[in-house]
């Protein structure tokens, strides 16, 4: 073992300053220390899997609701785009003007209905005296009412369509449609990105969940160091380090004593 140790790299680093025996033991101590530290580090990493899983799962639980709220907000914005100040002003002016025109329409239609009801009463009063004439008069009344009703509506529809109010209303509607199209496009990009993050969190939940942690432990290098071998690896490394240090110290002591005797 000593000859093999003399040829290793740790020994080569110290042999120029120490005797071959001292260098060999120091090299053995360094090599053993590295092995022991590696096993100890693997053990600590293995033991920390559960704590890391808990931290990751807590982070996932906290992040998922935040992402879902963002998705809901983006969807709401795309479904109901908000008007700008100017758009609201134009829309209000147009609505007010159109409502006034429609109020005139309603008043004229109400007047038509009132006259029609009066004619109905007149026609009904004729029914007993002249049935045939009553039927013709009632048919004429119905036709007149229907035609007048249509004429009034067409008139006010044309007034609205030909007015500046209608053009203003149309501009606002087109502007809002364009805005909604932009918001929907932006929503698709954002929601796609947020959904990818949710998928990533879902993968993390699977990785750090009970089954994932179990598999992680099964695949961990430390899990393949069985039984007493785990303790032997650490204890053996420590013993080599301690023994090597003791022998080095002993060698140095002998060297000092030799010079003192001289």
């Amino acid at each position: 073992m000593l000859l093999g140790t003399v040829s290793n790299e740790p020994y080569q680093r110290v042999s120029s300053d120490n005797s071959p025996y001292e260098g060999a033991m120091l090299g053995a101590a360094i090599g053993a220390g590295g092995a022991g530290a590696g096993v100890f580090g693997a053990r600590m990493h293995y033991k920390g899997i559960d704590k890391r899983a808990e931290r990751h799962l807590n982070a996932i639980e906290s992040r998922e609701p935040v992402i879902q709220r963002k998705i809901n907000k983006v969807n709401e914005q795309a479904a109901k785009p908000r008007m700008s100040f100017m758009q609201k002003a134009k829309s209000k002016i147009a609505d007010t003007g159109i409502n006034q025109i429609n109020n005139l329409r309603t008043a004229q239609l109400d007047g038509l209905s009132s006259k029609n009801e009066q004619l109905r009463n007149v026609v009904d009063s004729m029914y007993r005296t002249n049935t045939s004439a009553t039927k013709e008069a009632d048919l004429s009344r119905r036709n007149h009412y229907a035609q007048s009703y249509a004429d009034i509506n067409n008139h006010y529809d044309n007034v609205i369509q030909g007015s500046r109010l209608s053009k203003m209303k149309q501009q606002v509607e087109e502007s809002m449609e364009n805005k909604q199209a932009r918001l929907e496009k932006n929503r698709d990009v954002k929601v796609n990105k947020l959904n990818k993050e949710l998928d990533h969190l879902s993968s993390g939940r699977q990785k750090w969940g009970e089954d994932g942690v179990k598999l992680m432990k099964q695949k961990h290098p430390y899990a393949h160091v069985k039984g007493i071998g785990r303790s032997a690896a650490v204890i053996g490394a420590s013993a080599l380090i301690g023994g090597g240090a003791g022998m080095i110290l002993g060698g140095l002591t002998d060297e000092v004593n030799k010079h003192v005797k001289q």
Side-chain angles (χ1 to χ4, degrees), residues 149-256:
Y149 190 91
D151 290 343
I152 292 171
N153 278 320
N154 289 335
H155 169 72
Y156 284 102
D157 286 342
N158 291 333
V159 170
I160 292 173
Q161 291 299 323
S163 69
R164 207 170 142 265
L165 299 172
S166 177
K167 294 178 181 178
M168 190 180 298
K169 185 77 172 176
Q170 186 176 358
Q171 287 175 351
V172 173
E173 290 175 353
E174 290 176 353
S175 177
M176 291 303 296
E177 288 174 0
N178 292 334
K179 184 174 184 179
Q180 184 167 7
R182 291 194 302 271
L183 287 173
E184 288 176 352
K185 184 177 180 180
N186 184 57
R187 174 203 60 194
D188 293 342
V189 173
K190 287 186 177 180
V191 170
N192 185 51
K193 183 178 180 180
L194 291 170
N195 281 332
K196 285 183 179 179
E197 189 173 352
L198 283 178
D199 291 340
H200 179 71
L201 291 178
S202 179
S203 299
R205 185 188 295 278
Q206 184 176 0
K207 176 181 178 180
W208 295 104
E210 184 177 351
D211 293 339
V213 168
K214 183 178 180 180
L215 181 62
M216 198 179 299
K217 287 182 177 180
Q218 290 174 352
K219 291 183 176 181
H220 199 280
Y222 185 74
H224 299 285
V225 182
K226 302 297 182 181
I228 194 171
R230 299 180 179 180
S231 298
V234 178
I235 295 172
S238 300
L240 282 173
I241 295 171
M247 296 182 79
I248 291 170
L249 181 60
L252 292 174
T253 302
D254 291 341
E255 185 68 19
V256 170

Side-chain angles (χ1 to χ4, degrees), residues 14-219:
V14 299
S15 61
S16 61
D17 298 324
N18 300 281
S19 69
Y21 182 75
E22 293 166 353
M25 291 313 302
L26 183 58
I30 294 172
V39 174
F40 181 75
R43 179 176 182 273
M44 294 301 293
H45 189 269
Y46 178 84
K47 294 295 184 182
I49 289 177
D50 291 328
K51 287 293 184 182
R52 291 197 300 277
E54 183 179 357
R55 289 197 300 269
H56 280 290
L57 290 176
N58 288 337
I60 290 171
E61 292 291 339
S62 300
R63 182 61 181 163
E64 280 180 336
V66 175
I67 297 175
Q68 193 58 56
R69 285 196 295 270
K70 288 184 177 181
I71 291 175
N72 294 339
K73 183 177 180 180
V74 172
N75 284 329
E76 290 174 2
Q77 289 175 342
K80 297 179 180 179
R82 295 182 179 180
M83 288 185 178
S84 66
F85 176 79
M86 290 301 297
Q87 288 172 331
K88 288 180 179 180
K90 287 183 178 180
S91 181
K92 186 174 181 179
I93 292 171
D95 287 341
T96 300
I98 291 172
N99 286 338
Q100 290 176 351
I101 295 173
N102 282 327
N103 288 338
L104 295 173
R105 182 207 303 261
T106 301
Q108 195 164 348
L109 289 175
D110 288 344
L112 176 65
S113 296
S114 179
K115 290 181 179 179
N116 182 62
E117 192 63 29
Q118 292 174 3
L119 288 173
R120 182 200 297 273
N121 293 333
V122 172
V123 171
D124 288 345
S125 66
M126 295 168 54
Y127 185 78
R128 293 182 181 178
T129 58
N130 192 335
T131 303
S132 179
T134 301
K135 289 182 179 180
E136 290 182 9
D138 189 57
L139 181 59
S140 178
R141 176 191 63 80
R142 290 173 182 273
N143 290 336
H144 175 74
Y145 176 78
Q147 186 61 50
S148 298
Y149 190 91
D151 290 343
I152 292 171
N153 278 320
N154 289 335
H155 169 72
Y156 284 102
D157 286 342
N158 291 333
V159 170
I160 292 173
Q161 291 299 323
S163 69
R164 207 170 142 265
L165 299 172
S166 177
K167 294 178 181 178
M168 190 180 298
K169 185 77 172 176
Q170 186 176 358
Q171 287 175 351
V172 173
E173 290 175 353
E174 290 176 353
S175 177
M176 291 303 296
E177 288 174 0
N178 292 334
K179 184 174 184 179
Q180 184 167 7
R182 291 194 302 271
L183 287 173
E184 288 176 352
K185 184 177 180 180
N186 184 57
R187 174 203 60 194
D188 293 342
V189 173
K190 287 186 177 180
V191 170
N192 185 51
K193 183 178 180 180
L194 291 170
N195 281 332
K196 285 183 179 179
E197 189 173 352
L198 283 178
D199 291 340
H200 179 71
L201 291 178
S202 179
S203 299
R205 185 188 295 278
Q206 184 176 0
K207 176 181 178 180
W208 295 104
E210 184 177 351
D211 293 339
V213 168
K214 183 178 180 180
L215 181 62
M216 198 179 299
K217 287 182 177 180
Q218 290 174 352
K219 291 183 176 181

